Amino acid sequence: MQRYHPWIFSGAIKKIYGNPAEGDIVDVYDNKDNFIATGHYQPGSIAVRILSFSEVEPDIDFYWVRIKSALKYRESLGLTANPQTNVFRLVHAEGDNLPGLIIDYYNGVAVMQMHSVGMYRMRKEFAGILKELLGDKLIAVYDKSEGTIPYMSGISAANEFLYGNSGPVTVMENGFQFRVDWMSGQKTGFFIDQRENRKLLGEYTEGKSVLNMFGYTGAFSVYAMKNAVLVHTVDSSSAAIGLANENVRLNYGDDSRHKSFNADAFEFLKDINNKYDLIILDPPAFAKHDNILANALQGYKRLNMRAIEQIKPGGIIFTFSCSQVVTRENFKKSVFAAAANTGRKVKILHQMSQPPDHPVNIYHPESEYLKGLVLYIE
Ligand code: SAH
């Protein structure tokens, strides 16, 4: 049975014909010389990122069709003409059958991140395709691949506009406003993948004292401010705290219900006993490689333990993991261990994931990276 997984690992390759350079298009054959797939070659553990399992030429028309189908899919989700939301992920790499390519749309500005040299080589073509497909809904295309192109490739990608030009923009998500600065921000500027989980949060914050740990742009705080009595945002980056304050002000003006703290999460969580009714834990990916998986799981356990043991009785915790190497099962086990260490009664109210504009390719389980739980602590 063909499994259609979009990666071919170097260990599975018997012989390489010719001398492909990183980013070249290569065809893959089985032992009996039957064609399997075509894709981008790269030295390293993932040797080929597959573009197609049919014998096609991945030329500009090929990419046009794939990006158009990614756009049509977002249209069908109601994301492209939504008066409440003008920020969404337009291309989600393997999830959209375009391994190595991320495109986020921020109210007219498309921010691209290429994770492979093969995709990077096509960046100007991608900008042209976006112009054609989005028409007057596109102001600018910014390439932010400097930090994502494999370091060993020797390519020095410079972040730059490939079309138009724009300073930071204000986007709207579920009716809330956010400033997005792709140049100085993390990743492409905003964590779009939490949109639906933030909406769910809004259903639990009424009259609550809320603690938003790892707040970054303060997006969870902005949703909570709608009806909470108090919202505290914590982040170890002062730039992030500045952004969170700016976004709260953008939506609520000067509002004394909000306070932000530039602090380390583990320090801050030492003394929060009985202070909060609702805590959000959305840490950065602890585990970037398999070998530190155990440390990551330990990190989730410690973090969740601190929150579970100190939250007010009847409290709610929104807890997340965005590490690709941490499976949903492993994450749950860490939270279980955290709960068991406190001895408190804990219920799981919701199991969260990523929204449909971050689709999971069924043949590529690794594309399911965002896991979350809503807990009720008695
Ligand atoms: N919840 C955010 C995304 C969080 S990204 C959203 O909805 O957009 C993770 C954030 O954690 C980053 O802003 C980073 O600065 C912060 N961070 C990383 N390590 C930290 C630590 N030890 N203590 C506090 N914040 C930390």
Side-chain angles (χ1 to χ4, degrees), residues 186 191 198 214-217 219-220 235-237 240 263-265 282 284:
Q186 303 174 34
F191 286 81
R198 292 195 270 253
F214 309 94
Y216 185 34
T217 58
F220 278 106
D235 202 291
S236 57
S237 140
D264 174 73
D282 185 23

Side-chain angles (χ1 to χ4, degrees), residues 286-287 293 296-297 300 321-332 334 368-369 371:
F286 283 143
L293 175 63
L297 295 178
Y300 289 123
S321 161
C322 61
S323 303
Q324 205 181 52
V325 300
V326 175
T327 61
R328 185 172 288 277
E329 237 10 77
N330 274 337
F331 177 59
K332 257 183 165 171
S334 303
E368 186 187 350
Y369 66 97
K371 289 105 13 207

Side-chain angles (χ1 to χ4, degrees), residues 186 190-194 198 212-221 234-238 240-241 261 263-267 280-286 320 322:
Q186 303 174 34
F190 190 68
F191 286 81
I192 306 171
D193 54 2
Q194 290 283 25
R198 292 195 270 253
N212 181 14
M213 298 300 300
F214 309 94
Y216 185 34
T217 58
F220 278 106
S221 300
V234 177
D235 202 291
S236 57
S237 140
S238 58
I241 290 298
F261 300 84
D264 174 73
F266 289 95
E267 282 300 314
I280 300 138
L281 302 172
D282 185 23
F286 283 143
F320 298 95
C322 61

Side-chain angles (χ1 to χ4, degrees), residues 173-174 176 178 198-199 219-226:
E173 183 187 271
N174 290 319
F176 297 104
F178 298 98
R198 292 195 270 253
K199 195 170 178 191
F220 278 106
S221 300
V222 167
Y223 279 67
M225 287 284 288
K226 175 119 200 193

Side-chain angles (χ1 to χ4, degrees), residues 61 104 119 126 136 207 257 273 310 332 343 345 357 360:
D61 293 338
D104 286 337
M119 285 301 188
F126 295 152
D136 59 9
R257 289 176 304 148
N273 204 20
Q310 297 181 84
K332 257 183 165 171
K345 292 196 181 67
D357 53 333
V360 179

Side-chain angles (χ1 to χ4, degrees), residues 51-276:
L51 292 164
S52 179
F53 290 93
S54 320
E55 285 190 73
V56 294
E57 181 69 33
D59 55 10
I60 185 161
D61 293 338
F62 169 88
Y63 287 111
W64 195 88
V65 170
R66 287 270 163 104
I67 295 174
K68 175 151 196 219
S69 114
L71 177 63
K72 275 195 85 169
Y73 169 68
R74 272 72 184 175
E75 279 168 13
S76 78
L77 297 173
L79 284 169
T80 54
N82 185 330
Q84 296 292 306
T85 299
N86 54 27
V87 46
F88 58 89
R89 177 153 289 188
L90 176 53
V91 172
H92 186 55
E94 281 86 354
D96 284 295
N97 302 303
L98 288 163
L101 180 64
I102 297 285
I103 305 178
D104 286 337
Y105 180 83
Y106 294 116
N107 190 17
V109 179
V111 182
M112 304 200 291
Q113 273 193 329
M114 271 68 79
H115 291 257
S116 71
V117 173
M119 285 301 188
Y120 188 69
R121 285 189 191 166
M122 297 298 289
R123 64 194 182 282
K124 297 204 169 118
E125 285 79 359
F126 295 152
I129 292 170
L130 290 174
K131 241 164 83 180
E132 226 175 287
L133 290 176
L134 292 166
D136 59 9
K137 284 192 162 172
L138 189 72
I139 302 163
V141 178
Y142 187 68
D143 170 12
K144 196 182 177 187
S145 302
E146 201 173 293
T148 57
I149 289 293
Y151 166 73
M152 297 295 282
S153 70
I155 285 183
S156 48
N159 294 341
E160 59 179 345
F161 281 100
L162 297 175
Y163 166 66
N165 202 310
S166 168
V169 292
T170 301
V171 300
M172 185 130 73
E173 183 187 271
N174 290 319
F176 297 104
Q177 289 184 299
F178 298 98
R179 285 295 278 173
V180 177
D181 184 350
W182 43 86
M183 291 201 195
S184 64
Q186 303 174 34
K187 304 261 175 99
T188 65
F190 190 68
F191 286 81
I192 306 171
D193 54 2
Q194 290 283 25
R195 179 178 58 241
E196 292 186 354
N197 302 328
R198 292 195 270 253
K199 195 170 178 191
L200 181 65
L201 175 84
E203 294 171 20
Y204 284 95
T205 45
E206 193 168 352
K208 302 274 174 67
S209 298
V210 177
L211 172 61
N212 181 14
M213 298 300 300
F214 309 94
Y216 185 34
T217 58
F220 278 106
S221 300
V222 167
Y223 279 67
M225 287 284 288
K226 175 119 200 193
N227 51 18
V229 292
L230 167 159
V231 178
H232 288 172
T233 306
V234 177
D235 202 291
S236 57
S237 140
S238 58
I241 290 298
L243 267 175
N245 289 339
E246 187 181 358
N247 284 326
V248 169
R249 207 172 305 121
L250 195 59
N251 290 275
Y252 303 97
D254 281 325
D255 191 323
S256 60
R257 289 176 304 148
H258 181 250
K259 264 209 191 94
S260 49
F261 300 84
N262 187 354
D264 174 73
F266 289 95
E267 282 300 314
F268 192 91
L269 289 175
K270 275 189 179 152
D271 181 25
I272 55 156
N273 204 20
N274 256 320
K275 279 193 189 156
Y276 300 102

